[in-house]
């Protein structure tokens, strides 16, 4: 089910004629992550699901007497997010409430709770923490409440009905046993990795929960994505960039109210230089600036290249035996649903932009020969039936070749197969490091 879903069972102790050795007391070791994410537990030492109780016994393993890691794990996150239990809400006939919990193993967890009001409007409560979905819940960093207009709620109700949520099994049924194999027994197969999606509902005196691992298509995926991205206005795709340590001479270059997103040495020239990208902590207008420096002195500064975008990645690679390029990826459109890729090259004592492309839910491929690039652009206009921003889409792939000191497009195709934009956008550059 999750990264930690392998439970350890102690073996039975045999009787020995030897006297038992005195058990040594090992002093507890401090948890270096305690201040950041709070207590961290071994898989078989998770707190019990209680006070309040979030899930009925046997919800995720159909065996109420067994140790249920999954039940405790999900309840641990909801409790740390200070979320109410929907089991109590289900006891009230006039309550209609749904909650989606998303737990990316290496990134921040998200929870969105939608209450449908009697007048047809709704109320959404959105929460996230500084923890990770596969390690520890952490502490609340976002707790917002907003009103949902009637037309959005109507669309949400339609998706609930279309998905068949109330008749879905809580966990996917195991595949049937093939004749002659397994002696008639079915073995549970746990998937390590992946992102659990947990959707609960309490309505008309009843309660139901559905758990799936990283669905990217189908009515259930559309319903959950609609809650988070349309009702909560959230782009929950993880961001890999971490704030670096800033030397004093470079810190003097950065204006007030801006933060550093990239600070890395490059080799575009024989002398080398430092690439700095800084931006505002502003969802609507991050205003990224790309700066090339040497010994703390600004050689070239670019602004206005990616208005309304935030920085998502960096890559340096070779163009030919003499030239190298620095590529910066941005994500735009408020929710990050549009990617923008900009390539920089040294030009004498200065620097210039040699390539710039925007792509919906895009990715930049430099696998193999770096002089041949591919830009992936989602074709949401080709979606069939219900669609959502981060559901599966077909992609148009444009190929560019480095020729005569510039990139020229040499191919364009739209395969029939669909791609998962969540994975593409997580790694805006995929090459030998991201096969």
């Amino acid at each position: 089910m999750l990264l930690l879903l392998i439970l350890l069972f102690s073996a039975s102790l045999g009787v020995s004629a030897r006297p038992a050795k005195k058990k040594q007391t090992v002093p507890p070791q401090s948890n270096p992550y305690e201040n950041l994410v709070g207590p961290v537990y071994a898989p078989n030492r998770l707190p019990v699901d209680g006070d309040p109780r979030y899930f009925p016994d046997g919800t995720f393993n159909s065996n109420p007497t067994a140790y249920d890691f999954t039940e405790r794990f999900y309840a641990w996150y909801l409790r740390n997010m200070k979320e109410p239990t929907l089991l109590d809400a289900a006891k009230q006939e006039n309550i209609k409430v749904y909650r989606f919990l998303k737990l990316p193993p290496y990134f921040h967890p998200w929870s969105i709770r939608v209450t449908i009001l009697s007048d047809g409007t709704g109320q959404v409560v959105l929460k996230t923490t500084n923890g990770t979905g596969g390690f520890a819940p952490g502490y609340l960093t976002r707790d917002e409440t907003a009103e949902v207009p009637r037309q959005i709620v109507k669309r949400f109700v339609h998706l609930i009905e279309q998905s068949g949520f109330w008749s879905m099994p809580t966990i996917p049924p195991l595949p049937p046993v093939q004749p002659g194999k397994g002696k008639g027994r079915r073995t549970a197969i746990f998937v390590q990795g992946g992102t659990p999606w947990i959707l609960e509902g309490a309505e008309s005196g009843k309660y139901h929960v559905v758990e799936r691992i990283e669905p990217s298509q189908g009515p259930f995926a559309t319903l959950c994505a609609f809650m988070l991205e349309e009702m909560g206005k959230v782009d929950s795709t993880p961001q890999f960039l971490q704030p670096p340590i800033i030397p004093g001479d470079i810190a003097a270059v950065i204006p007030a109210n801006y933060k550093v997103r990239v600070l890395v040495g490059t080799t575009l020239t024989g002398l080398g230089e430092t690439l700095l990208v800084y931006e505002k902590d502003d969802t609507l207008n991050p205003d990224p600036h790309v700066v090339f420096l040497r010994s703390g002195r600004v050689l070239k500064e670019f602004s206005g290249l990616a208005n309304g975008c935030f920085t998502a990645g960096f890559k340096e690679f070779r163009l030919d035996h003499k030239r190298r390029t620095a590529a910066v990826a941005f994500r735009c459109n408020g929710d990050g649903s549009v990617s923008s890729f900009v390539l920089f090259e040294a030009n004498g004592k200065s620097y210039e932009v040699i390539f710039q492309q925007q792509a919906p839910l895009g990715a930049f491929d430099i696998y193999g020969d770096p002089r041949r690039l591919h830009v992936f652009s989602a074709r949401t206009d080709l979606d069939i039936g219900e669609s959502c921003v981060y559901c599966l889409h077909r992609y148009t792939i444009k190929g560019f070749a480095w020729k005569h000191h510039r990139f020229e497009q040499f191919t364009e195709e739209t395969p029939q197969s669909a791609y998962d934009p969540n994975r593409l956008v997580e790694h805006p550059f995929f090459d030998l490091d991201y096969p």
Side-chain angles (χ1 to χ4, degrees):
M1 304 290 287
L2 284 172
L3 292 170
L4 304 177
L5 205 56
I6 302 176
L7 303 182
L8 303 177
F9 295 95
S10 58
S12 301
L13 298 177
V15 179
S16 173
R18 296 181 180 180
K21 293 183 179 180
K22 185 177 180 180
K23 186 176 181 180
Q24 296 181 351
T25 302
V26 180
Q29 297 182 358
S30 62
N31 170 23
Y33 303 99
E34 184 81 26
N35 293 333
L36 176 63
V37 297
V40 179
Y41 299 92
N44 57 347
R45 292 292 184 270
L46 282 171
V48 297
D49 177 13
D51 193 28
R53 186 66 185 269
Y54 286 94
F55 303 104
D57 283 332
T59 296
F60 301 104
N61 67 0
S62 67
N63 184 358
T65 63
Y67 174 89
D68 195 335
F69 165 83
T70 309
E71 174 188 314
R72 295 187 179 196
F73 191 79
Y74 296 160
W76 183 29
Y77 279 78
L78 293 172
R79 188 172 295 107
N80 275 43
M81 288 179 162
K82 297 178 172 49
E83 274 293 289
T85 171
L86 297 195
L87 292 180
D88 291 341
K91 299 174 184 177
Q92 306 177 48
E93 293 286 341
N94 60 340
I95 290 292
K96 294 182 180 181
V97 58
Y98 293 83
R99 177 168 57 211
F100 172 43
L101 178 65
K102 183 178 181 181
L103 299 178
Y106 303 107
F107 304 98
H108 301 323
W110 287 90
S111 167
I112 182 168
R113 174 166 35 93
V114 176
T115 302
I116 301 175
L117 305 178
S118 58
D119 63 356
T121 63
Q123 183 184 72
V124 60
V125 178
L126 180 71
K127 296 180 180 179
T128 189
T129 74
N130 64 348
T132 65
F135 181 64
Y139 301 112
L140 272 176
T141 56
R142 186 172 177 181
D143 184 353
E144 300 176 1
T145 301
E147 303 304 316
V148 184
R150 187 175 286 104
Q151 61 269 26
I152 299 296
V153 173
K154 184 176 180 180
R155 172 85 168 139
F156 174 59
V157 172
H158 169 71
L159 291 175
I160 293 172
E161 295 171 349
Q162 186 184 54
S163 69
F165 166 76
W166 287 98
S167 60
M168 285 184 182
T170 294
I171 56 178
L174 293 171
V177 177
Q178 296 182 12
K181 294 185 178 182
K183 297 182 179 180
R185 300 175 62 185
R186 297 202 301 177
T187 304
I189 301 174
F190 298 111
V191 179
Q192 297 191 42
T195 298
W197 292 26
I198 305 97
L199 179 60
E200 301 174 84
E203 183 175 330
S204 304
K206 58 184 179 180
Y207 170 85
H208 187 52
V209 57
V210 174
E211 176 217 43
R212 297 293 184 267
I213 302 300
E214 208 168 69
S216 55
Q217 61 179 331
F220 179 78
T222 301
L223 172 61
C224 294
F226 183 85
M227 291 180 69
L228 196 59
E229 294 155 11
E230 299 297 333
M231 305 183 85
K233 301 299 181 183
V234 166
D235 167 25
S236 61
T237 304
Q239 298 302 303
F240 282 79
L241 296 179
Q242 298 295 328
I245 299 174
I246 312 302
D249 59 341
I250 293 180
V253 176
I254 305 165
N257 301 321
Y258 281 78
K259 62 181 180 180
V260 174
R261 293 304 305 273
V262 175
L263 182 62
V264 61
T266 67
T267 56
L268 303 192
T269 65
L271 297 176
E273 57 278 304
T274 297
L275 173 67
L276 165 69
V277 184
Y278 61 82
E279 64 188 35
K280 293 179 183 177
D281 193 8
D282 186 334
T283 303
L284 297 179
N285 183 29
D287 186 29
H289 290 240
V290 179
V291 184
F292 289 92
L293 310 97
R294 187 178 298 127
S295 301
R297 182 173 64 90
V298 174
L299 303 175
K300 180 72 174 182
E301 179 173 346
F302 297 88
S303 61
L305 287 175
N307 292 328
C309 307
F310 57 88
T311 314
F314 162 80
K315 193 74 179 176
E316 180 184 348
F317 58 93
R318 183 178 297 279
L319 293 173
D320 55 34
H321 66 286
K322 291 183 178 181
R323 291 179 172 84
R324 298 182 67 83
T325 182
V328 180
F330 302 94
R331 299 186 60 210
C332 317
N333 227 29
D335 61 355
S337 60
V338 174
S339 300
S340 179
F341 306 100
V342 185
L343 273 59
F344 302 88
E345 183 195 13
N347 180 14
K349 295 182 179 180
S350 188
Y351 299 83
E352 62 180 2
V353 174
I354 60 170
F355 181 86
Q356 189 168 8
Q357 281 279 313
Q358 281 201 340
L361 298 165
F364 189 87
D365 170 22
I366 52 177
Y367 184 85
D369 185 352
R371 295 168 299 178
R372 287 180 176 267
L373 312 176
H374 295 87
V375 176
F376 285 63
S377 302
R379 291 289 303 275
T380 56
D381 59 307
L382 298 179
D383 292 344
I384 299 176
E386 297 292 346
S387 179
C388 64
V389 175
Y390 286 98
C391 292
L392 283 182
H393 304 294
R394 289 176 61 190
Y395 272 73
T396 290
I397 307 171
K398 295 181 180 180
F400 298 87
W402 178 250
K403 184 182 294 186
H404 305 304
H405 309 304
R406 64 190 180 94
F407 282 101
E408 298 179 358
Q409 184 174 339
F410 70 93
T411 185
E412 180 176 332
E413 61 176 336
T414 305
Q416 291 294 323
S417 57
Y419 293 85
D420 183 354
N422 294 277
R423 296 190 179 277
L424 291 179
V425 175
E426 282 183 20
H427 299 290
F429 301 110
F430 58 99
D431 56 6
L432 293 175
D433 294 331
Y434 302 112

